[in-house]
Amino acid sequence: MTTVEEIDIAVVGAGLGGAAAAALLAEAGFSVHSFEQAPEFTRLGAGIHIGPNVMKIFRHLGLEETLAKIGSHPSHWFSRDGKTGEYLSEIPLGEFALKEYGAPYITIHRGDMHAVQIEALDSRRVHFGHRLTDIEERDSDVLLSFDNGKKVAAKLVIGADGINSMIREKLLGVEKPRFSGWIGHRALVNMDKLRATGLEYERCVKWWWEQSRHIMAYATKNDGSEYYYVTGVPVDSWDHETGFVDSSREEMEAIFGGSHPMVQGLIDATEEVTKWPFWNRDPMGLWSRGRLVMIGDACHPMRPHMAQGACMAIEDAAVLARCLGLTGMGDYTTAFRMYENARKDRATKVQTISNANTWLKEPEDPAWVYAYEPYGIELN
Ligand code: FAD
């Protein structure tokens, strides 16, 4: 007979949001275990922006300094016309962000950030190779079954299992995410070729064309030794079964060729490039039920154009940990209600603006996003 291990809190998914939730709950004194389907940690993906809103959370965990040393510190978020190079907006970050928003704004390789997050967890409580396959809500706990045969009875379950969340499926039924009609090409460029252009590449710049097609390009290391771009391109459909497919310099040239020389330099420095579909869901009416609660892409997936999807997941984690800290395990119903009250409007607003892809294209004040105080907001 399979033995059932009894635990307090199970975090399903050890991605950027789940790893943050596990660390924050442990820091708040809870007994937490993470269950991740991936067989082991791998340095996946490429670039990610982390705003001051989230660097404050990493400060709380004692990780801010480490990440700030690894990541790049852009002086601005520039928006530029893809053809002429004209500056459409120059949003100050750097020292300004430190002073006005209370923490640095960094861009970093997401694998580097994730590694720091995973290393900060108690490895005896992070269970790789555990894909959740069944959830049974019972009177005094939730029985989780994993594909490796393991069963765990948890008092509370946090669904940090991304856009295809099983926890979401349990709460709201089976529904595939919707293809947003947009794809993104992602590439780390060849730095020698980029340097050979003799052009001064800004540390964070979004190039824009008609229909809001764009290339977001930025450094991912403090010393500027790694440079990355992600595009946004509308397409008619996505017909591949896999999560992403190979693209090519030729395809980049076909879409963005004939643009500003700096864009051409990026295309010419492209060696390997992949393309990814962007999936979506409408804002959800339910974030928790009983002992189940969701954070991050499980409950508010979005197109990536505000560079705040992971930031929202980590903010969720911080606020949820605060709420549970106030109520304790026993009154999780109140904690989940406070959490949803505190988070829903903000996450939905970010989701809506991300999907519209208008963020920082023109001069605007981003303080409502970056100056957010996860440890200062009122909870009720
Ligand atoms: P995920 O990162 O998807 O993690 C979910 C985890 O759950 C995964 O590890 C998965 O393996 C695991 N899992 C899933 N199902 C199961 C199961 N059944 N059992 C066990 N484990 C399971 N955000 C930013 O903040 N800044 C950016 O600059 C930025 N850029 C982006 C660029 C692109 C091109 C894209 C696509 C996204 C970008 N995002 C960015 C968004 C960000 O990547 C996501 O919002 C973020 O990863 C969500 O974190 P999460 O922890 O909720 O989900």
Side-chain angles (χ1 to χ4, degrees), residues 1-6 143-144 149-153:
M1 206 180 87
T2 318
T3 52
V4 177
E5 196 181 328
E6 292 181 9
L143 183 66
L144 301 176
K150 190 159 171 184
K151 287 187 188 292
V152 168

Side-chain angles (χ1 to χ4, degrees), residues 12-18 35-38 47-49 110 130-132 160-162 166 186 218 228 230 278 295-298 304 307-311 313:
V12 181
L16 304 179
F35 300 93
E36 166 58 49
Q37 64 184 0
I48 195 160
H49 299 230
R110 62 190 295 147
H130 282 64
R131 187 167 69 82
L132 181 68
D161 47 348
M166 267 206 73
R186 302 164 93 174
Y218 53 95
Y228 163 77
V230 53
F278 295 152
I295 66 167
D297 277 11
Q308 280 285 327
C311 290

Side-chain angles (χ1 to χ4, degrees), residues 29-30 38 52 61 68 84 89 113 116 137 157 199 233 264 272 321 349:
F30 293 100
L61 287 171
T84 65
S89 73
M113 178 172 115
V116 169
E137 293 176 87
V157 177
L199 300 167
V233 178
Q264 194 57 50
E272 282 177 23
K349 187 172 175 186

Side-chain angles (χ1 to χ4, degrees), residues 137-152:
E137 293 176 87
R138 308 191 296 195
D139 286 345
S140 55
D141 59 21
V142 180
L143 183 66
L144 301 176
S145 303
F146 297 92
D147 63 343
N148 58 7
K150 190 159 171 184
K151 287 187 188 292
V152 168

Side-chain angles (χ1 to χ4, degrees), residues 177-183 233 235-238 276-280:
R178 199 176 50 241
F179 176 53
S180 69
W182 284 68
I183 59 162
V233 178
V235 294
D236 292 336
S237 61
W238 176 261
W276 303 64
F278 295 152
W279 302 98
N280 224 336

Side-chain angles (χ1 to χ4, degrees), residues 298-364:
C299 61
H300 45 68
M302 57 189 85
R303 274 164 52 189
H305 311 315
M306 257 177 98
Q308 280 285 327
C311 290
M312 288 304 111
I314 296 167
E315 283 186 6
D316 287 348
V319 173
L320 180 59
R322 265 188 75 195
C323 294
L324 279 167
L326 286 175
T327 63
M329 291 281 293
D331 194 9
Y332 59 85
T333 308
T334 302
F336 292 175
R337 181 181 45 74
M338 288 197 298
Y339 158 68
E340 188 170 331
N341 282 348
R343 295 295 305 154
K344 197 168 206 164
D345 285 354
R346 177 170 170 86
T348 304
K349 187 172 175 186
V350 170
Q351 193 181 17
T352 308
I353 297 174
S354 275
N355 292 341
N357 187 24
T358 51
W359 183 240
L360 307 186
K361 181 175 185 182
E362 286 164 11
E364 66 177 298

